[in-house]
């Protein structure tokens, strides 16, 4: 099956700093989603981005499907950005069965 | 409701007991998914319902796990004879159709003592 690897596993930032989170996947995918899991455990959708680039406020994401990776950019980080960021992909069967990476744990210090 | 609703939010049970977890998807969403998040295994797929088709049970870890979806809406995940390794957060998600975003509920935290 498809393997999803996220890096770095842990990241500590000072408030106001920028960061880039990476997601590599081992095979072609139909769908790719980025999530933020807040301290209460809720998975919040950030981006649905099987290819191309999207932006939403201080967050943006780029997926290069041909090279099998996606990047999540966080600019001017805030303490509320803390939490775990997951990348998840849906393989070529397009059933929506998401395969998750192990996540990047982000801590933003004031 | 506006989002995916799961109940209970927390469940503590004794080893060997059966438990039922409920998921109420977003109205009109034809696809419903169950996932499990545990410390050792991360987030893993369990079972998938699409419309009236037979469910895809390929992620269920053992035959103690089963799920049903009644009337194409509410789903119940049942774990029989619970074991301590079943302790995890069980997450439900739904989506309106192929190629669309999955939306997740807040999860049920199951603790097996």
């Amino acid at each position: 099956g498809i393997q999803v690897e996220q890096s770095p596993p842990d990241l500590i930032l000072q408030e106001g700093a920028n960061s880039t989170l990476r997601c590599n996947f081992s095979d072609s995918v139909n769908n790719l989603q980025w999530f933020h899991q807040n301290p209460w455990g809720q998975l919040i959708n950030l981006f649905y981005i099987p290819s191309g680039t999207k932006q939403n406020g201080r967050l943006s994401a780029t997926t290069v499907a041909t090279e099998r990776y996606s990047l999540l950019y966080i600019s001017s980080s805030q303490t509320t950005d803390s939490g775990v960021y997951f990348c998840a992909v849906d393989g070529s069967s397009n059933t929506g069965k998401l395969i998750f990476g192990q996540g990047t744990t982000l801590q933003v210090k004031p | 409701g506006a989002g995916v609703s799961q109940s209970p939010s927390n469940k503590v049970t004794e080893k060997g007991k059966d438990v039922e977890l409920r998921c109420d998807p977003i109205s009109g969403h034809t696809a419903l998914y169950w996932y499990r998040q545990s410390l050792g295994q991360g987030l893993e797929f369990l079972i998938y319902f699409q419309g009236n088709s037979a469910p895809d049970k390929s992620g269920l870890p053992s035959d103690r796990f089963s799920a049903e979806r009644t009337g194409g809406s509410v789903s119940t995940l049942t774990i029989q004879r619970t074991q301590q390794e079943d302790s995890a957060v069980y997450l439900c998600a739904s989506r309106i159709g192929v190629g669309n975003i999955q939306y997740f509920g807040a999860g049920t935290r199951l603790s097996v003592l």
Side-chain angles (χ1 to χ4, degrees):
Chain A
I2 295 176
Q3 305 298 312
V4 181
E5 294 183 359
Q6 292 186 241
S7 59
D10 301 282
L11 187 58
I12 300 175
L13 298 176
Q14 209 64 36
E15 197 167 30
N18 303 326
S19 63
T20 301
L21 282 58
R22 186 176 180 102
C23 172
N24 291 332
F25 42 96
S26 60
D27 205 345
S28 301
V29 298
N30 288 295
N31 303 330
L32 187 147
Q33 285 185 243
W34 281 97
F35 297 91
H36 176 214
Q37 189 166 43
N38 65 22
W40 298 270
Q42 177 80 51
L43 278 171
I44 308 298
N45 287 295
L46 297 177
F47 294 101
Y48 171 80
I49 186 164
S51 63
T53 298
K54 291 186 178 180
Q55 181 155 8
N56 184 3
R58 296 181 296 103
L59 302 181
S60 64
T62 295
T63 297
V64 184
T66 54
E67 297 188 20
R68 299 178 184 169
Y69 73 88
S70 183
L71 301 174
L72 177 68
Y73 305 97
I74 304 173
S75 64
S76 303
S77 58
Q78 300 175 358
T79 56
T80 52
D81 294 332
S82 297
V84 185
Y85 290 79
F86 288 101
C87 165
V89 303
D90 175 10
S92 57
S93 63
N94 210 6
T95 58
K97 290 157 48 175
L98 293 178
I99 301 166
F100 285 81
Q102 291 301 306
T104 291
T105 301
L106 174 64
Q107 182 182 358
V108 181
K109 294 185 173 181
Chain B
V4 178
S5 178
Q6 293 189 244
S7 61
S9 54
N10 286 284
K11 176 72 176 178
V12 179
T13 190
E14 294 179 349
K15 178 181 173 182
K17 301 284 190 182
D18 298 351
V19 296
E20 287 189 350
L21 312 179
R22 177 188 169 104
C23 173
D24 200 342
I26 294 172
S27 178
H29 281 198
T30 59
L32 185 148
Y33 305 82
W34 284 97
Y35 296 86
R36 178 169 73 172
Q37 185 173 24
S38 55
L39 280 176
Q41 300 298 321
L43 273 153
E44 53 182 349
F45 162 79
L46 296 178
I47 187 169
Y48 154 56
F49 296 87
Q50 173 62 58
N52 296 320
S53 302
D56 179 335
K57 304 179 184 179
S58 59
L60 294 179
S62 79
D63 58 8
R64 296 185 295 104
F65 288 73
S66 63
E68 62 178 20
R69 188 180 185 191
T70 54
S73 182
V74 172
S75 177
T76 301
L77 177 69
T78 301
I79 309 173
Q80 295 179 309
R81 305 181 303 280
T82 51
Q83 304 293 312
Q84 287 184 333
E85 61 262 29
D86 299 334
S87 296
V89 177
Y90 290 82
L91 294 161
C92 177
S94 70
R95 71 174 185 176
I96 197 167
V98 173
N100 285 278
I101 298 173
Q102 276 186 47
Y103 295 92
F104 280 76
T108 294
R109 182 174 299 275
L110 175 66
S111 300
V112 182
L113 304 179

